[in-house]
Amino acid sequence: MRPLFALLLPLAVFGSTVLEGLDRAFGGLDRLREIFRRAQELLLLGGVALALLGSLVFIASWALSHARRASDNSRPWFSRAVLALAYVPLLLTAVAAGGLFVPGLAPFILKAFALAVAIAAVVWCLALGLLIAGGSRRDLGRGRRALILAGTPWYCLVVYMATFL
């Protein structure tokens, strides 16, 4: 207990002097607050740009997937698995959206978005693998649907982050 008291005593005595010195060194605490506010805005703008880029990648891959022609060999198990996995990010995005309306879910908004984006990246890779491997028209249709569904967290993340600008 004595060492703690020994550390707090100089801070209590010289604390105002230290704060005044910091105030003079940074040209005022208002200036420091302004710098932090601008840094936060730049980070947020970069996050919106990154989310927008991610959503454009999903849309571009979906558009390019229409160039793939159907083949005779079918991969129903793979296409069904990819499509089923694509609903996971969609449901996590619904949880994140529910956080806007249900106060109990509010702490989970960013966590749900982060998990949805990570799973969507895996689904995107699997869906592209399905489209590259080919399959019947039904298999390719499931792959395209999986691409659009997996992009949902990215589209919603752009809108959510843009509300803070």
Side-chain angles (χ1 to χ4, degrees), residues 55 58-59 61-62 79-94 116-117 119-121 123-124 127 141-156:
S55 64
F58 276 89
I59 292 172
S61 61
W62 174 79
S79 63
R80 287 182 184 139
V82 170
L83 184 59
L85 191 60
Y87 282 102
V88 174
L90 183 70
L91 294 174
L92 286 169
T93 305
V117 164
I119 294 173
V123 171
W124 181 74
R142 287 181 189 134
R144 290 183 191 112
R145 195 173 318 128
L147 281 174
I148 288 296
L149 290 176
T152 304
W154 291 92
Y155 318 137
C156 295

Side-chain angles (χ1 to χ4, degrees), residues 98-157:
L100 295 173
F101 305 108
V102 180
L105 294 176
F108 300 111
I109 291 176
L110 291 179
K111 293 172 187 163
F113 268 135
L115 187 58
V117 164
I119 294 173
V122 172
V123 171
W124 181 74
C125 292
L126 291 173
L128 281 184
L130 171 67
L131 293 171
I132 289 171
S136 66
R137 290 185 70 180
R138 182 174 279 170
D139 296 335
L140 294 179
R142 287 181 189 134
R144 290 183 191 112
R145 195 173 318 128
L147 281 174
I148 288 296
L149 290 176
T152 304
W154 291 92
Y155 318 137
C156 295
L157 188 61

Side-chain angles (χ1 to χ4, degrees), residues 22 36 52 64 66 78 80 92 133 143 148 159:
L22 286 174
F36 283 139
L52 184 61
L64 289 174
H66 289 286
F78 188 44
R80 287 182 184 139
L92 286 169
I148 288 296
V159 173

Side-chain angles (χ1 to χ4, degrees), residues 24-104:
R24 276 189 241 117
F26 289 112
L29 292 178
D30 291 334
R31 175 82 173 124
L32 188 61
R33 283 188 198 108
E34 179 66 24
I35 290 171
F36 283 139
R37 189 186 60 76
R38 282 188 170 176
Q40 184 182 16
E41 286 177 359
L42 285 174
L43 287 173
L44 185 62
L45 188 61
V48 170
L50 182 65
L52 184 61
L53 178 67
S55 64
L56 290 177
V57 165
F58 276 89
I59 292 172
S61 61
W62 174 79
L64 289 174
S65 72
H66 289 286
R68 178 74 169 142
R69 291 188 185 185
S71 63
D72 293 334
N73 55 352
S74 181
R75 293 178 170 75
W77 62 271
F78 188 44
S79 63
R80 287 182 184 139
V82 170
L83 184 59
L85 191 60
Y87 282 102
V88 174
L90 183 70
L91 294 174
L92 286 169
T93 305
V95 169
L100 295 173
F101 305 108
V102 180

